[in-house]
DNA sequence: TATATTTTGAG
DNA sequence: TCAAAATAT
């Protein structure tokens, strides 16, 4: 039996981390019924359910919601914005709109899952059809299991299993026309969500670097495939070479689906005889699987987010935070590769993955500061800060994670700098005060002869800091600290 | 996606 | 003598 659209009642599509029209399963399913569709985004003020967004992520969300609203308008629809608790707002909205159904794409944060499950049963009791979809992952956390029927704690076997069952299929097309409800409910204005920073100049570097929204995500993907993917495998670790996709914030907000990225990448690989391009595509896809692995861990291991996966790290003798921490945040540690990274983070809201590892190792091992402190800073400053990837990566660096680098893997910031930025191009981009130093001295200016420093206009302790710690002795202290917890069970 | 130190062995 | 390999953390 089919009724005409006008007699069918509305389906609410609740947008969360899926701010796109293309390949959006909840939206596609709703549009496919020919019913009126009511798209809604709710700024959730439930700190017990969701961690409040950091400053950079809020800036991004503002831009992304603006674009999503416009894209919906082009399809004859709108984005209704609400501010508050979804468990109160959605039942009320469903009543007012005389909706028959609520659809959404799933999320995987344990607290958010629980809240969504409670909301689902409440809405069902209200007589609504509630359906959830997979819009954010290639492999949902329960899709892969070890031979013993549990979840994976180690990346490689997880990735192997994921590749075996992975069948991304074709991305769903964006709906051209979305039926509007008879009446649009009141929502708030985007500016009422107060997502933009109060000091506008704070976001200058973000505006120059990024184009939030689905169109920006697609452009970034196209540019990646054409210009960066061919050299991805060989250049991905070099922060000056810009060979990485920089899709992370777009994936974080769901402006593009991992299925779209994965299948576009596969198409390039299948379309070529160039074995290095195929190798690059495979390597890049394995990085997408790290994202999947982080969500797998987040779902199955609640301590991922706030505790230590290896609980012996609860007793680790972390140092008190103080001036060294603020030097790290400001990019004034005296180690150029660390400082360049921390300034890239502050200026652009993003940091190259190699440099994330270097600054993370420096904070947790050279400064002996608890990884949670670094994770909080990243949460506030990264445009791609993500409930799964951010803590999983910090626990990996700190050595407290499920499949972590062993604690004794201490990065040497000078060796890393020389190896991955040999001619100092990356350093000079973010540390103009060192730009005139010759290549052989820019990685460790404290060792440069006085006349060379003078010629380059560098005065240590004034124009650029002396190192806040000596790496050699800091490394020994870190290994000694680790000895204190080493004997304990994981 | 580690590094420092020690050992080995060719020359 | 020194680079490569092995080893410890």
């Amino acid at each position: 039996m089919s009724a005409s659209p006008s007699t069918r009642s509305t389906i609410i599509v609740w947008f969360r981390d899926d701010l796109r029209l293309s390949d959006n399963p909840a939206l596609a399913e709703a549009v496919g019924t020919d019913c009126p569709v009511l798209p809604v985004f709710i700024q959730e003020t439930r700190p017990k359910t969701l961690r409040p967004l950091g400053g950079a992520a809020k800036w991004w969300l503002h831009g992304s919601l603006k674009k999503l609203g416009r894209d919906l308008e082009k399809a004859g629809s709108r984005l209704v914005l609400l501010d508050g608790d979804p468990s109160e707002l959605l039942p009320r909205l469903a009543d007012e709109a005389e909706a028959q159904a609520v659809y959404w794409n799933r999320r995987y944060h344990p607290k958010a899952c629980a809240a969504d499950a409670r909301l689902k049963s409440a809405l069902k009791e209200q007589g609504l059809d509630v359906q959830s979809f997979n819009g954010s992952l290639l492999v949902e956390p329960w899709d892969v299991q070890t031979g013993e029927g549990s979840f994976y704690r180690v990346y490689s076997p997880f990735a192997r299993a994921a590749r075996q069952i992975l069948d991304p299929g074709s991305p769903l097309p964006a709906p051209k026309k979305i039926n509007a409800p008879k009446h649009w409910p009141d929502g708030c204005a985007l500016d009422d969500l107060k997502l933009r920073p109060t000091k506008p100049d704070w976001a200058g570097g973000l505006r120059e670097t990024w184009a939030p929204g689905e169109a920006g995500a697609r452009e970034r993907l196209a540019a990646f495939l054409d210009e960066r993917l061919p050299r991805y495998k060989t250049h991905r670790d070099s922060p000056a070479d810009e060979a990485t996709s920089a899709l992370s914030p777009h994936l974080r907000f769901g402006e593009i689906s991992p299925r779209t990225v994965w299948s576009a990448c596969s198409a390039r690989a299948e379309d070529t005889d160039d074995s290095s391009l195929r190798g690059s595509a495979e390597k890049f896809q394995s990085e997408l699987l790290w994202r999947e692995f982080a969500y797998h861990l987040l779902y199955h291991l609640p301590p991922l987010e706030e505790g230590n996966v290896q609980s012996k790290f609860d007793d680790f003798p972390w140092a008190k935070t103080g001036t060294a921490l603020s030097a790290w945040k400001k990019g004034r540690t005296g180690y150029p590769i660390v400082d360049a990274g921390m300034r890239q983070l502050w200026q652009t809201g993003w940091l190259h993955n190699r440099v994330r590892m270097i600054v993370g190792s420096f904070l947790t091992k050279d400064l002996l500061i608890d990884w949670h402190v670094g994770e909080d800073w990243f949460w506030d400053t990264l445009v791609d800060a993500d409930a799964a990837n951010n803590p999983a990566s910090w626990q990996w660096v700190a050595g407290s994670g499920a499949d972590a680098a062993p604690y004794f893997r201490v990065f040497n910031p000078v060796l890393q700098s020389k190896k991955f930025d040999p001619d100092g191009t990356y350093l000079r981009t973010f540390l103009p005060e060192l730009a005139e130093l010759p290549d052989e001295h820019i990685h460790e200016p404290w060792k440069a002869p006085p006349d060379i420093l003078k010629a380059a206009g560098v005065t240590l302790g004034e124009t650029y800091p002396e190192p806040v710690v000596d790496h050699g002795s800091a490394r020994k202290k870190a290994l000694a600290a680790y000895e204190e917890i080493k004997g304990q069970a994981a």
Side-chain angles (χ1 to χ4, degrees), chain A residues 55-361:
Chain A
K58 280 191 195 168
W59 173 85
W60 189 287
L61 179 61
H62 182 98
S64 195
L65 289 173
K66 192 172 193 172
K67 290 291 167 62
L68 179 64
R70 283 190 198 157
D71 290 344
L72 284 165
E73 283 164 24
K74 284 180 204 155
S77 184
R78 285 187 199 177
L79 180 63
V80 173
L81 298 173
L82 299 175
D83 191 357
D85 183 345
S87 68
E88 293 167 13
L89 292 171
L90 275 176
R92 204 186 308 157
L93 182 67
D95 259 353
E96 284 168 14
E98 295 177 350
Q100 58 159 329
V102 183
Y103 295 174
W104 63 66
N105 293 310
R106 285 186 282 277
R107 45 190 179 185
Y108 306 91
H109 183 284
K111 286 179 188 165
C113 283
D116 288 353
R118 283 194 300 274
L119 181 54
K120 195 175 205 171
S121 19
L123 292 168
K124 279 185 171 172
E125 273 178 34
Q126 201 178 325
L128 289 151
D129 170 30
V130 185
Q131 292 188 43
S132 67
F133 302 84
N134 170 17
S136 301
L137 293 177
L138 297 163
V139 176
E140 293 191 292
W142 46 85
D143 285 342
V144 287
Q145 279 193 346
T146 66
E148 289 172 354
S150 69
F151 67 94
Y152 286 96
R153 289 167 177 272
V154 182
Y155 169 76
S156 305
F158 167 83
R160 205 174 307 127
R163 281 181 191 271
Q164 266 173 16
I165 64 147
L166 202 147
D167 175 20
S170 305
L172 305 162
K176 296 234 172 6
K177 175 81 182 75
I178 301 172
N179 293 330
K182 275 186 198 143
H183 305 288
W184 285 103
D186 290 335
C188 48
L190 182 53
D191 284 335
D192 295 341
L193 301 183
K194 297 194 164 48
L195 293 164
R196 280 191 289 195
T198 42
K199 293 180 201 157
D201 55 321
W202 181 86
L206 303 183
R207 281 195 300 274
E208 281 170 30
T209 313
W210 302 103
E214 187 170 359
R218 294 190 158 265
E219 280 163 27
R220 184 69 81 165
L221 173 62
F224 172 63
L225 294 170
D226 289 341
E227 295 155 24
R228 300 182 173 200
L229 184 61
R231 59 200 168 91
Y232 180 78
K233 191 174 180 180
T234 46
H235 296 250
R236 56 186 289 273
D237 264 321
S238 162
D241 286 351
E242 301 192 333
T244 65
S245 76
L247 282 167
S248 53
H250 298 291
L251 284 165
R252 154 67 183 86
F253 288 95
E255 298 167 356
I256 195 163
S257 70
R259 166 160 72 175
T260 300
V261 179
W262 182 281
S263 49
C265 207
S266 293
R268 290 293 167 111
E270 284 156 16
D271 201 34
T272 182
D273 296 327
D274 179 347
S275 68
S276 76
L277 180 55
R278 284 205 302 274
S280 273
E282 158 124 17
K283 186 71 192 165
F284 177 69
Q285 287 177 326
S286 75
E287 297 301 317
L288 286 176
L289 292 178
W290 272 102
R291 175 178 176 275
E292 302 285 321
F293 182 52
Y295 277 93
H296 187 80
L297 292 177
L298 178 70
Y299 181 82
H300 291 290
L301 265 178
L304 183 78
E305 233 203 330
E306 286 171 0
N308 291 293
V309 172
Q310 296 181 45
S311 57
K312 68 184 176 193
F313 276 83
D314 295 350
D315 297 326
F316 192 90
W318 299 113
K320 289 217 164 44
T321 60
T323 54
L325 174 63
S326 57
W328 180 79
K329 288 182 176 177
K330 289 180 196 151
R332 295 192 60 79
T333 66
Y335 284 89
I337 188 67
V338 174
D339 295 339
M342 297 308 289
R343 295 194 207 175
Q344 179 180 34
L345 173 60
W346 182 253
Q347 283 171 34
T348 70
W350 185 87
L351 187 50
H352 186 281
N353 186 55
R354 164 61 49 184
V355 190
R356 292 188 196 206
M357 293 189 278
I358 297 170
V359 302
S361 178

Side-chain angles (χ1 to χ4, degrees), chain A residues 420-440:
Chain A
F420 296 108
D421 189 36
D423 59 10
T425 306
Y426 177 75
L427 300 181
R428 290 189 180 89
T429 304
F430 293 102
L431 302 172
E433 69 268 44
L434 299 183
E436 301 300 321
L437 278 176
D439 296 1
E440 60 268 40

